[in-house]
Amino acid sequence: MEALMRWLPKTKWGKISFWGTVVGIILMYSSYWIAMLGELSIPIPLGLAGIVLMLIFGTISIILIIRNKDRAILLFVSALLGLFAWFMLIGEFLFPH
């Protein structure tokens, strides 16, 4: 009998979306810490790249969970990080600083 929940996604797109989201979060926070600790200015496209990756691959994760019934725990984490990126994007437009 197959377990209901797995750690890793079983589909190819599930694996791509999980690792794409991981790369996005690493890129976003590494550029943040480089800018804070090194007191450097990060180029805007590099700063946006992490959020864009999280938006795209997090949305793909949500679609895979709903349509393909891919019930991997790490895919749910990827979907949560995608929702986090959507909330950050919406927050930037609603409350500009």
Side-chain angles (χ1 to χ4, degrees):
M1 184 172 170
E2 184 178 333
L4 295 176
M5 295 287 284
R6 301 173 185 231
W7 278 98
L8 293 173
K10 61 183 176 181
T11 61
K12 179 182 175 183
W13 278 104
K15 293 173 187 173
I16 290 171
S17 69
F18 169 70
W19 288 111
T21 307
V22 169
V23 168
I25 197 91
I26 289 171
L27 185 61
M28 185 175 73
Y29 280 108
S30 64
S31 63
Y32 169 76
W33 283 108
I34 288 170
M36 293 299 289
L37 295 176
E39 296 180 6
L40 302 171
S41 178
I42 302 295
I44 292 175
L46 184 63
L48 289 176
I51 294 175
V52 169
L53 285 174
M54 287 174 51
L55 286 171
I56 291 170
F57 290 117
T59 305
I60 290 172
S61 296
I62 293 169
I63 292 170
L64 289 172
I65 290 170
I66 294 170
R67 285 181 76 204
N68 292 356
K69 307 285 190 245
D70 197 352
R71 303 277 191 243
I73 294 171
L74 293 177
L75 200 60
F76 281 102
V77 171
S78 175
L80 230 83
L81 291 173
L83 286 175
F84 171 70
W86 277 109
F87 287 138
M88 282 179 33
L89 180 71
I90 291 169
E92 282 295 324
F93 284 116
L94 290 179
F95 307 106
H97 43 262

